[in-house]
């Protein structure tokens, strides 16, 4: 459990550092909105490849072996970002980082799904998924501290090296991990393209739709929210950190609440409730003239809905597929959805000139959560499903 929590924390921190150093890079490098969005989208698109490839490979040779590789890849590639001296170098580093970013969550989530009891799978995934909020908070805190202590041209680089030592500790923990099931037997009947065979293709499409909507809403927020606080709301670095901490604090509650509700009342009810709540709160925070106190409270509510929904998404994607296809299925749906969601940050960046950051966020997050609601109608209820095996096609 701790190796998964630690890995998810570094995963979140490493990829989210970009959003927090973005206001600094906009000034130092003179990045346009479209170029800044491309750097965000590149990691997401690379994550789609890394997640599917790692998930498929883990179906064949086991989750633990892949998890040892992903944590090392993630730490080293994140450090590469801090060495970039030009836009093109940073873009390449973000692509390499994105591969490890997608692989770590995809394989880690399936491993958790295999060790968790079916009746508590939502709560188990929710508890470990809260590591994303921990990593997000670490990214905000370390960036604020580095930019306060160091010159801007050094501070933004320093933050990308912070995860190296924790990664060594997590790697050592994973050297003592054992597989939850024997994957050697499954590998003889499973195939990476089994998720596209007739019995599975419908679930693959619906799972991808769910992941695209969930990621689309989150990444539009995560990429541009810090910049919106600093640029449009004219907050200082310290003030923006407080408001962002409220959003992250709300997400902690959301992860646990979503996991509990999904185990008790079902995945579909939870998805619909959290997506609707996300739409309501993002429209309120981006369209209404709120007082500082009201904005702070609604920021926490936005974090609860926008991040909490992931606890249910992870459980659904694990339960949609038989065990010998779960790595490939979750890896493909979750990470292709994340890759497609790269359109969100790009769309926000291209709309800033005409709509402003806040209104652009509100529009594209609403569209994304509408996709989640559509997917919820189409998906079967999977609460309490056993991760059984079947004669996997192809």
């Amino acid at each position: 459990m701790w190796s998964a929590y630690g890995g998810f924390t570094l995963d979140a921190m490493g990829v989210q550092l970009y959003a927090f150093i973005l206001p600094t890079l906009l000034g130092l490098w003179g990045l346009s909105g479209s170029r800044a969005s491309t750097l965000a989208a590149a990691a997401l698109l690379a994550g789609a490849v890394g997640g599917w490839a790692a998930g498929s490979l883990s179906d064949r040779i086991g989750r633990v072996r892949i998890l040892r590789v992903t944590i090392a890849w993630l730490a080293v590639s994140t450090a590469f970002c801090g060495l970039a001296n030009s836009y093109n170098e940073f873009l390449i580093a973000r692509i390499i980082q994105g591969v490890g970013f997608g692989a770590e969550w995809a394989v880690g989530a399936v491993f958790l799904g295999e060790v968790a009891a079916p009746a508590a799978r939502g709560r188990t995934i929710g508890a470990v998924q809260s590591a994303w909020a921990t990593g997000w908070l670490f990214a905000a805190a370390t960036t604020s501290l580095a930019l306060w202590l160091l010159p801007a041209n050094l501070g933004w680089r320093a933050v990308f090296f912070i995860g190296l030592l924790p990664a060594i500790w997590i790697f050592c923990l994973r050297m003592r991990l054992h597989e939850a099931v024997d994957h050697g037997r499954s590998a003889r009947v499973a195939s990476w393209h089994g998720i596209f065979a007739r019995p599975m293709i419908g679930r693959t499409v619906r799972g991808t739709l769910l992941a695209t909507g969930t990621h689309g809403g989150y990444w539009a927020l995560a990429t541009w929210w810090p910049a919106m606080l600093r640029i449009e709301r004219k907050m200082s670095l310290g003030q923006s950190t407080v408001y962002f901490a409220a959003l992250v604090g709300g997400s902690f509650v959301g992860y646990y609440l979503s996991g509990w509700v999904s185990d008790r009342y079902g995945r579909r009810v939870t998805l619909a409730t959290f997506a609707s709540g996300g739409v309501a709160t993002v429209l309120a925070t981006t369209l209404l003239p709120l007082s500082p106190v009201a904005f702070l409270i609604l920021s926490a509510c936005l974090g609860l809905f926008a991040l909490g929904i992931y606890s249910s998404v992870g459980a659904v994607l694990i339960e949609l597929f038989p065990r010998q296809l779960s790595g490939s299925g979750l890896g493909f749906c979750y990470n292709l959805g994340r890759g497609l969601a790269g359109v969100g940050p790009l769309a926000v960046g291209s709309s800033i000139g005409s709509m402003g950051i806040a209104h652009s966020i509100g529009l594209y997050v609403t569209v994304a959560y509408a996709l989640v609601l559509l997917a919820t109608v189409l998906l079967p209820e999977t609460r309490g499903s056993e991760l059984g095996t079947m004669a996997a096609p192809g």
Side-chain angles (χ1 to χ4, degrees), residues 1-10 67-68 71-72 75 104 131 134 138 162-177:
M1 180 75 81
W2 283 113
S3 77
Y5 195 95
F8 283 12
T9 298
L10 282 188
L67 286 171
R68 292 167 185 161
I71 196 63
E104 171 67 25
T134 304
F138 282 167
I162 292 172
L164 288 174
L165 285 179
I168 295 173
W169 172 70
I170 295 168
F171 182 84
C172 291
L173 287 179
R174 291 181 177 179
M175 291 302 295
R176 298 197 294 267
L177 277 182

Side-chain angles (χ1 to χ4, degrees), residues 254 257-277 305 308-309 311-313 372 376 381:
L257 180 62
S258 175
W260 180 82
V261 173
S262 69
D263 280 340
R264 185 172 179 85
Y265 298 105
R267 314 301 190 212
R268 298 174 74 208
V269 168
T270 309
L271 290 171
T273 300
F274 276 68
S276 300
F305 290 118
I309 196 171
S311 297
S312 299
V313 171
V372 174
T376 301
E381 178 57 59

